Amino acid sequence: MTHLRVGDLSAVRSIIRERSRKQLVVILAPNFEERSTLCCEALLEMIRAECQVHPDAVRISWIIFTLQGRHSPTFLDAIKAVNVRKVIRSLHVSEQREKVVHKILEYPIDQGRFVSELALLMRGIPTIGELIVDYSAFPRNLLSALIEEVEKSGELSSKFPLVENVTLLYAWSESYPKAAGPELLGEVVGHFSRLPLRSLLEGRNHAEVVIFAAGTTHDTFSLLESVRDNGMGNQIGIHLVNFVHTDNLLESRLKLRNHYTILRDAPLHGVQVRYVFTVRHALAYMRDVARICVQATEEGSRSLLAIGSFGPKPIAVGAQFVVQEFLRKCSLVGDARADVLNSRGSQYLSPYSLGSSKIGVFEYQPRGSSTSFLE
């Protein structure tokens, strides 16, 4: 079994059916996006169906947090408040009232404080058998902090109780408004190191750089500029990956059109252009590239694996796990470095998505099989 795998809603239904045997905790973060309530609605529908068969089953613990900006309230805050009330009301109607906690957190928030706040809301729970996280409306930096804390849960250094199994849910949007876009406030840097790609390449004699051309052209171009004329020759593999979402071909077409010039010129500069069509495909491609980097490390190279996880949040989640898997594999075999690259300080200042679509599922066992993704 791999450390992280793509699942489906049948796995969630199984968790609901078995909830009387394990402590089940659900974390929700509704915001102003319509899709931010979809996973809650789907979970409650599963619970209602199960309660018709087993009405006396143990209830679930729900943790809801609202990220509130320091600015004056806007119409987006009003929509967010409506969605939060909608979720809480739905839980109360479904007789989940006694197990619901809600916390308003000022945002931006330090990642350490965010983890501490979540830990306080989990206080009194010795072991979490099943943790379900709807990360549809999570800021990426907070999602990464949550994953890191879950990874070490139960250890002395962790603030969380032991987490045995994790299911990550993501509600896809139907479309994105043309006016929506991030305010770019800084350069692209590594999530873990906080270093730009140029600095990460220093001292390396082999590198594999994966860039998902699904974000802004600024992100893609800045990373390509960082690896151009780096002096490593054919010891660096540059992978420009296009995520063509088969359930939203129109949005994918718009991204391809935005990146047309970069995609046209990339092969002239030794860049490999690739296409992936599902999250499972994207995860598999990242792992294939990681294998190349592991082999180079085992052969004595000072390697770097860097993934520019632009585009949909599931790509960023997959990238973080691939980097962690790679570092674990290389920790005893040689000099390896890895990081996930993101735009520093970007934020969305307009409605980011429209409507809601399917729900994507990741399954993860922090204390699961030690089988490597390479085996």
Side-chain angles (χ1 to χ4, degrees), residues 2 45 69 219 221 288 306 323 330 365 368 372:
T2 56
E45 182 61 34
D219 295 334
F221 184 77
D288 285 344
V323 161
C330 293
Q365 284 186 308
S372 168

Side-chain angles (χ1 to χ4, degrees), residues 28 41 83-84 96 275 292 365:
L28 306 172
E41 295 167 4
N83 283 341
V84 172
Q96 299 290 319
Y275 295 84
I292 297 172
Q365 284 186 308

Side-chain angles (χ1 to χ4, degrees), residues 21-74:
R21 300 182 183 180
K22 292 183 176 181
Q23 173 66 58
L24 174 55
V25 175
V26 180
I27 299 178
L28 306 172
N31 71 350
F32 51 79
E33 297 173 86
E34 183 178 342
R35 64 173 175 168
S36 69
T37 65
L38 181 64
C39 292
C40 179
E41 295 167 4
L43 288 170
L44 288 176
E45 182 61 34
M46 294 178 196
I47 292 170
R48 279 191 289 268
E50 180 63 18
C51 285
Q52 291 178 0
V53 181
H54 302 290
D56 298 325
V58 175
R59 290 174 177 167
I60 300 165
S61 295
W62 301 80
I63 295 175
I64 303 169
F65 67 88
T66 303
L67 297 174
Q68 186 62 50
R70 300 187 180 110
H71 52 75
S72 300
T74 67

Side-chain angles (χ1 to χ4, degrees), residues 104-116:
I104 298 176
L105 300 176
E106 192 177 71
Y107 187 78
I109 184 174
D110 175 79
Q111 294 181 27
R113 180 168 167 256
F114 170 70
V115 167
S116 296

Side-chain angles (χ1 to χ4, degrees), residues 3 6 32 50 103 170 231 332 334:
H3 203 52
V6 177
F32 51 79
E50 180 63 18
K103 179 77 172 181
Y170 180 78
L332 300 177

